[in-house]
Amino acid sequence: MGDRSMEDKLEEVLKQYPCEVRTRRRTRGAFLLETDQGLRLLKEYSVSQARIEFEERIKQLLGQQGGLLVDHTYKNNREEYFTKDNYRNNWVMRRWYAGNECDIRDQRCVLRCASYLGRLHALMQLGNEEGESYIRKESVQQEMERHNKELKRVRSYIRGKKQKNEMEICLLGSYDLFYDQACLAQTLLQESGYEALWQETLEQGKVRHGSYSYHNVLFVGKDLAVTNFDRAEIGIQVRDLYDFLRKVMEKNGWQAEFGKSLIDAYDRERKLEETERRVLYAMLLYPEKYWKLVNFYYNSRKSWMSSKNLEKLLRIRAQEEKRACFLRELRPLLCGAC
């Protein structure tokens, strides 16, 4: 779509809000607006009315009960969350903040983010007031089982090929190591008490952010702001901690002491149950990066080898010794004598 058409769309949308826009610029699939009422983010958002109300209910809990900074969605002149442009596309306007994303290599910043996640989770509990629309459809157990079946299927496929490229040879060479980890992780999860934790999550309506990464946490002066609740759902909250911890560790060389500090920072804000610790360990043990590469390979053009994906696979293998050491160090903290 040309610049003129985009300008027309924006003008049609902006005139439906009670604020004066002074400047605007593109940013990650949205527009950052400086208005007479503060910073705003304007973006297309194709979800249901019920979905956006679910997100705003969570943000109200965080803002009203915890005093936390979040990207509330503003209503337009008709008191509606969605605003249509002249092509009938839905747009939303959210509160935004002048701040910096978390620097994933700055340990103090990362520790603050881990602590903040604990505060979020302590508040994100809806009870039985919400329906089943936003409950995670697939449990972690079901997901691991599906992924392990996919790993076996891909191995059989590659083994059956007469000619194998370098990527396929490398995948097979790594398979036994990572598949053994995947099976052990599945077993540990089954023995962790996960089912009871899942039932407790459903009964209490516990919500996870779904995309808690350093991109979605802004440092605003002395405060933090959490954004992008697009993937929030009723689900195992410790999965957010797992996602955050794994990405941080990958960027910081799997430093065990740093990992322990992150877990402790979270735990001080929201006490981890013993079951949650065991679930966290099982998820950390699972070779997710390896599975992702295998899955991408199988669902893409197998006759064409991506040098970038081969580099990723070689990097995963190169990091494995550090990752294994990290897991050995964390096991007593998360599993005790299990």
Side-chain angles (χ1 to χ4, degrees):
M1 185 173 292
D3 290 343
R4 186 66 262 164
S5 298
M6 178 57 73
E7 285 294 319
D8 291 342
K9 286 171 66 173
L10 286 176
E11 291 302 326
E12 179 67 25
V13 171
L14 291 173
K15 70 182 184 181
Q16 299 179 61
Y17 287 95
C19 61
E20 176 189 335
V21 178
R22 293 168 178 166
T23 64
R24 66 185 183 225
R25 63 180 175 86
R26 291 179 184 267
T27 175
R28 286 185 186 168
F31 292 88
L32 185 62
L33 313 174
E34 186 177 333
T35 79
D36 60 339
Q37 298 174 22
L39 279 181
R40 303 287 185 264
L41 191 79
L42 186 71
K43 63 180 288 187
E44 277 193 67
Y45 198 38
S46 300
V47 299
S48 68
Q49 177 72 24
R51 170 69 207 186
I52 200 166
E53 289 174 353
F54 172 75
E55 292 175 24
E56 290 308 305
R57 177 74 185 102
I58 297 164
K59 294 174 189 177
Q60 286 171 9
L61 281 174
L62 297 173
Q64 294 174 3
Q65 295 187 21
L68 306 186
L69 303 182
V70 290
D71 57 341
H72 288 291
T73 303
Y74 290 100
K75 292 184 176 180
N76 58 25
N77 293 331
R78 296 188 302 279
E79 287 296 306
E80 297 171 345
Y81 286 123
F82 291 122
T83 300
K84 293 190 181 297
D85 60 26
N86 44 19
Y87 293 90
R88 309 302 295 169
N89 300 309
N90 282 335
W91 292 71
V92 294
M93 182 180 285
R94 290 176 174 165
R95 183 179 180 183
W96 209 248
Y97 302 90
N100 298 313
E101 290 184 358
C102 171
D103 181 351
I104 200 166
R105 299 191 189 279
D106 185 325
Q107 294 195 2
R108 287 194 306 169
C109 290
V110 174
L111 286 168
R112 282 195 66 191
C113 289
S115 175
Y116 211 69
L117 179 60
R119 292 181 63 190
L120 257 67
H121 283 170
L123 291 166
M124 293 200 300
Q125 188 168 308
L126 298 175
N128 295 319
E129 63 187 74
E130 298 290 337
E132 298 184 354
S133 302
Y134 308 107
I135 295 173
R136 184 171 180 82
K137 297 297 186 290
E138 184 179 48
S139 71
V140 178
Q141 281 187 331
Q142 292 169 331
E143 187 177 276
M144 280 191 187
E145 183 179 357
R146 175 172 58 83
H147 288 180
N148 288 353
K149 288 179 180 177
E150 290 167 356
L151 288 173
K152 290 178 68 175
R153 186 183 309 125
V154 175
R155 180 186 60 172
S156 297
Y157 169 79
I158 296 175
R159 278 181 168 178
K161 291 187 68 176
K162 292 183 179 179
Q163 290 188 326
K164 301 174 180 62
N165 61 35
E166 190 177 358
M167 178 74 175
E168 292 162 343
I169 292 169
C170 198
L171 284 172
L172 283 181
S174 310
Y175 181 86
D176 287 344
L177 169 66
F178 290 119
Y179 184 70
D180 286 348
Q181 289 179 1
C183 290
L184 179 56
Q186 185 179 353
T187 299
L188 290 176
L189 189 70
Q190 289 170 345
E191 297 171 352
S192 68
Y194 176 86
E195 282 300 326
L197 179 63
W198 177 244
Q199 288 305 313
E200 178 186 296
T201 296
L202 298 182
E203 289 167 7
Q204 298 181 15
K206 292 183 177 180
V207 178
R208 60 182 292 258
H209 182 278
S211 187
Y212 192 85
S213 72
Y214 50 96
H215 293 305
N216 292 330
V217 182
L218 300 175
F219 282 73
V220 185
K222 295 181 179 181
D223 296 318
L224 273 67
V226 181
T227 64
N228 295 323
F229 287 75
D230 306 18
R231 296 181 182 176
E233 62 185 7
I234 295 174
I236 301 295
Q237 290 182 323
V238 76
R239 186 162 187 162
D240 278 341
L241 179 58
Y242 156 71
D243 287 337
F244 184 72
L245 182 60
R246 180 180 63 81
K247 290 172 185 175
V248 169
M249 290 296 101
E250 286 171 359
K251 298 291 186 181
N252 287 276
W254 295 96
Q255 299 175 44
E257 290 305 316
F258 185 27
K260 291 177 183 177
S261 297
L262 287 173
I263 295 169
D264 288 342
Y266 177 96
D267 188 63
R268 283 193 291 271
E269 294 294 335
R270 190 187 79 88
K271 195 71 176 173
L272 284 165
E273 300 173 12
E274 290 304 312
T275 299
E276 289 179 306
R277 290 175 177 270
R278 292 193 291 269
V279 168
L280 176 59
Y281 181 80
M283 288 191 290
L284 287 167
L285 176 62
Y286 196 88
E288 183 171 343
K289 294 285 282 189
Y290 177 79
W291 170 80
K292 282 183 176 179
L293 277 176
V294 169
N295 185 61
F296 182 82
Y297 155 81
Y298 193 66
N299 290 295
S300 62
R301 288 171 51 202
K302 303 173 191 64
S303 60
W304 174 75
M305 185 187 76
S306 165
S307 59
K308 184 176 180 181
N309 286 323
L310 178 59
E311 288 172 9
K312 286 182 180 178
L313 179 55
L314 293 173
R315 190 159 55 246
I316 291 169
R317 290 177 61 172
Q319 288 185 342
E320 184 52 29
E321 186 176 342
K322 289 182 178 178
R323 177 175 171 267
C325 181
F326 168 84
L327 289 166
R328 284 195 300 270
E329 290 287 325
L330 256 71
R331 181 159 184 158
L333 174 67
L334 298 177
C335 296
C338 72

